[in-house]
């Protein structure tokens, strides 16, 4: 009922009377009044004028079911959409619910108390200052193919940000950077048998508003927020577009068994290709030149003697020759 | 308190008086009486004779904490021991609790309502007629190494059954057979990042008492129960010995980074080595000769032209040339 009242408020141009709402939705005026109050408590600004009616002034900037589901343009990704104002980690939530949830299930939160990055690192996820969500996938693939999912996701995130007019680059394998600072990260995890994974969960964290108090002094310099790069940013629109782009690229993989489009986006917008990079593996560092990204999502690098090898995402960290990137 | 009373009953040779129990354990006689009744409800047969005392006649044949923990001879495996009289699947329970549970956590049940076999198959787990449990492992390995865990487990299960004097064979990669019929199976699952697994869960199901009504007619002929092969079988002892053997072989892997002992057991007691076997992959069947098991847990096979290849456990099913095995 609350949602139907909210939709009526959104649709109406100006004030709509309590009587009209009550009639149109076939509920008592008391029910209308109660639901309006409940919406106000959720953060919706609604003006009530006696004898004139109600008017919606602003929607809360929340990624709730009510705000997002009507906007979705996807068939599979987000078809089951779960919003949690606060959670330990959206990847962990997917792991808890995977068995009863369909492919494409999305879990979104405003605040992760134990947000996860790669290799057990933390992903700092302050309340309302980012977009933190995970997608449940059930493709028929093997573990060694999971880097493809990371590249598909990196391409979708980069494309969505670039479409806003921001010069985003992909720092292979799983970070999106703007002006050399990390704007977004991706964590791909899997579960199942060696040759028959049950599911993959891909977690995405996007920094929107960065506050120096959220980060340690040693990393604050290499973390950025999207809001610095664009005046008019709508988190809801960003999420909706990202899910749409992800579905398009993921569908290519499922339908055609290739990820050419995603790899093209990753190549064209790479922060590392053509550059010397430091490759950090088990504490050891090597300086190599990044040559290409292959069709499996691996990074082809060359040492100073011209010897090439392919590194796959995993235990390796990549840094710029003289800086974070 | 109940456990301390049970232990006193177990230790006492004959009757022990309520007064003595109350004194030794420093509790009221009413508390002794209440706990004795509660033990009776759990299935312990206890005779109470007025003015003489209590005597334990038989322990229930349960794999409960009370019955198993005092018998454990392991350091890590089973140090956290969780008993559930009934559960959907012990592997699924491990998945739900892994983040707050240490390596070696064991979940045991009498009855799985949704017992799982390989490749999404069912593992039929009738109440009290088998041993069904899972072990949580957190080794620092990558997905492609998970077949080693399956071979370690197969070796531990086979050794434990062979130690009872039963001629058990290992049908690579994950079944234990006696007289050509499946006695036990292993399901290894993993979760985490490609190069940094969070955990592995290894599930073990052992058939003890087979009742034809539990199985479909098409598989009943190839399923066996341990009880057919040995008169005096103690489920509790079997579980305790299995955990001990598993710990010994798993520790070798963790400490020395090899699984030589396990592979030796798998070779010596293989149901397939030296035989022609049918290898079933994606519905297609090939007849090859099983030659050896390698140090990674893979099976080396040879076609009729003498070409060799290594198959790894996963999507492949192995059958005997003319029968199940």
């Amino acid at each position: 009922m609350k949602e139907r009242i909210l939709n009526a408020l959104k649709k109406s141009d100006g004030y709509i009377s309590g009587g009209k709402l009550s009639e149109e939705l076939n509920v008592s005026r008391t029910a209308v009044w109660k639901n309006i109050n409940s919406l106000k408590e959720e953060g919706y600004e609604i003006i009530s004028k006696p004898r004139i009616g109600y008017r919606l002034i602003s929607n809360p900037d929340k990624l709730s079911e009510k705000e997002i589901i009507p906007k979705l343009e996807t068939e599979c990704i987000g078809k089951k959409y779960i919003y949690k104002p606060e959670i330990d980690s959206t990847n962990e939530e997917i792991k808890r619910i995977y068995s009863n949830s369909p492919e494409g299930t999305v879990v979104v939160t405003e605040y992760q108390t134990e947000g996860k990055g790669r290799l057990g690192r933390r992903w700092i996820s302050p309340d309302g200052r980012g977009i933190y969500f995970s997608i449940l996938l059930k493709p028929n693939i093997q573990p060694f193919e999971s880097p493809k999912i990371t590249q598909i996701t990196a391409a979708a995130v980069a494309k969505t940000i670039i479409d806003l007019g921001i010069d985003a680059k992909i720092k292979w394998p799983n970070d999106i950077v703007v002006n050399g600072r990390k704007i977004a990260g991706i964590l791909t995890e899997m579960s199942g048998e060696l040759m028959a994974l049950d599911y993959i969960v891909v977690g995405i964290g996007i920094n929107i508003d960065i506050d120096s108090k959220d980060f340690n002094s040693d990393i604050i310099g290499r973390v950025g927020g999207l809001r610095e790069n664009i005046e008019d940013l709508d988190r809801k629109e960003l999420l909706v577009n990202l899910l749409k782009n992800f579905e398009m690229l993921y569908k290519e993989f499922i339908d055609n068994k290739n990820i050419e489009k995603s790899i093209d986006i990753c190549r064209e917008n790479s922060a590392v290709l053509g550059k010397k990079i430091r490759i950090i593996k088990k504490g050891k560092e090597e300086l190599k030149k990044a040559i290409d990204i292959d069709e499996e999502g691996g990074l082809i690098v060359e040492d100073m003697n011209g010897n090439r090898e392919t590194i796959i995402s995993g235990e390796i960290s990549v840094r710029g020759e003289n800086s974070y990137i």
Side-chain angles (χ1 to χ4, degrees), chain A:
Chain A
M1 175 46 52
K2 200 156 66 182
E3 264 170 76
R4 289 171 63 208
I5 290 177
L6 181 62
N7 281 332
L9 287 171
K10 281 181 180 171
K11 273 188 230 156
S12 92
D13 191 21
Y15 286 90
I16 182 166
S17 73
K20 201 176 169 194
L21 278 171
S22 145
E23 203 173 286
E24 276 187 5
L25 305 174
N26 198 24
V27 289
S28 71
R29 294 189 63 155
T30 317
V32 168
W33 178 78
K34 276 188 183 163
N35 280 294
I36 293 272
N37 281 343
S38 164
L39 285 167
K40 282 180 180 172
E41 274 167 29
E42 286 177 30
Y44 292 87
E45 263 186 83
I46 299 167
I47 301 181
S48 322
K49 272 196 184 170
R51 267 183 297 272
I52 294 182
Y54 303 102
R55 184 177 171 184
L56 180 65
I57 298 294
S58 80
N59 297 345
D61 178 35
K62 297 281 182 228
L63 304 172
S64 61
E65 289 94 341
K66 263 200 289 289
E67 291 298 322
I68 298 296
I69 291 173
K71 294 186 169 68
L72 285 178
E73 296 171 43
T74 46
E75 279 171 28
C76 164
I77 305 301
K79 198 175 172 187
K80 182 164 178 184
Y81 184 95
I82 299 165
Y83 173 74
K84 303 271 179 184
E86 175 183 331
I87 205 162
D88 53 348
S89 145
T90 54
N91 268 31
E92 291 302 311
E93 177 65 8
I94 291 277
K95 290 178 193 176
R96 288 186 287 260
I97 65 170
Y98 85 91
S99 62
N100 298 314
S101 304
E103 163 148 290
T105 295
V106 167
V107 172
V108 182
T109 191
E110 304 290 347
Y111 176 38
Q112 292 186 115
T113 55
E114 295 172 53
K116 288 169 53 174
R118 265 179 64 209
L119 305 176
R121 294 175 195 138
R122 277 189 71 198
W123 184 270
I124 295 161
S125 315
D127 197 359
R129 292 214 284 280
I131 301 178
Y132 320 111
F133 69 104
S134 297
I135 307 173
L136 172 63
L137 303 172
K138 299 185 173 180
N140 184 15
I141 66 173
Q142 294 172 22
F144 71 85
E145 291 186 273
S146 63
K148 292 180 183 173
I149 302 293
T150 306
Q151 295 311 296
I152 290 168
T153 313
V157 177
K159 178 176 163 35
T160 307
I161 296 175
I162 290 166
D163 285 348
L164 296 172
I166 297 171
D167 185 27
K169 299 284 182 197
I170 299 168
K171 181 175 156 292
W172 184 94
N174 73 322
D175 286 334
I176 310 298
V177 295
V178 175
N179 296 327
R181 295 195 295 160
K182 191 193 284 198
I183 287 282
I186 294 156
L187 173 63
T188 306
E189 297 184 279
M190 63 187 109
S191 177
E193 293 173 72
L194 180 60
M195 297 277 178
L197 289 180
D198 273 342
Y199 69 91
I200 290 209
V201 51
V202 54
I204 299 167
I206 302 175
N207 302 323
I208 304 285
D209 298 292
I210 287 298
D211 188 323
S212 59
K213 77 172 174 354
D214 296 325
F215 296 88
N216 290 335
S217 55
D218 58 329
I219 61 164
I220 181 69
R222 41 185 226 238
V223 175
L226 264 190
R227 192 92 67 188
E228 303 159 12
N229 302 279
I230 185 167
E231 261 182 39
D232 191 19
L233 181 71
D234 183 334
R235 286 200 314 157
K236 291 173 272 190
E237 207 177 290
L238 187 72
L239 175 58
V240 166
N241 290 339
L242 177 43
L243 294 177
K244 186 178 163 187
N245 286 326
F246 179 86
E247 178 165 289
M248 177 190 71
L249 295 169
Y250 179 68
K251 201 169 176 310
E252 188 205 30
F253 172 54
I254 295 303
D255 291 351
N256 307 329
K257 298 286 163 220
N258 79 52
I259 56 168
E260 222 173 289
K261 267 196 210 113
S262 297
I263 297 295
D264 281 347
I265 294 171
C266 291
R267 283 178 182 136
E268 283 161 24
N269 302 288
S270 174
V272 302
L273 291 187
K275 291 187 190 163
K276 281 191 181 155
I277 52 170
R278 290 175 293 146
I279 295 162
I280 302 159
K281 190 176 173 178
K282 291 180 183 165
K284 278 191 215 163
E285 247 187 65
E286 289 185 306
L287 195 65
K288 301 207 174 180
K289 192 175 172 188
I291 302 294
D292 198 6
I293 298 166
D294 72 16
E295 291 293 333
E296 302 295 314
L299 183 68
I300 302 170
V301 295
E302 192 178 83
D303 68 14
M304 40 187 169
N305 300 318
N307 299 318
R308 291 191 176 190
E309 68 170 322
T310 302
I311 59 181
I312 53 174
S313 61
E315 59 193 332
I316 287 160
S317 293
V318 167
R319 297 281 181 273
E321 185 174 9
N322 301 307
S323 61
Y324 171 63
I325 192 69

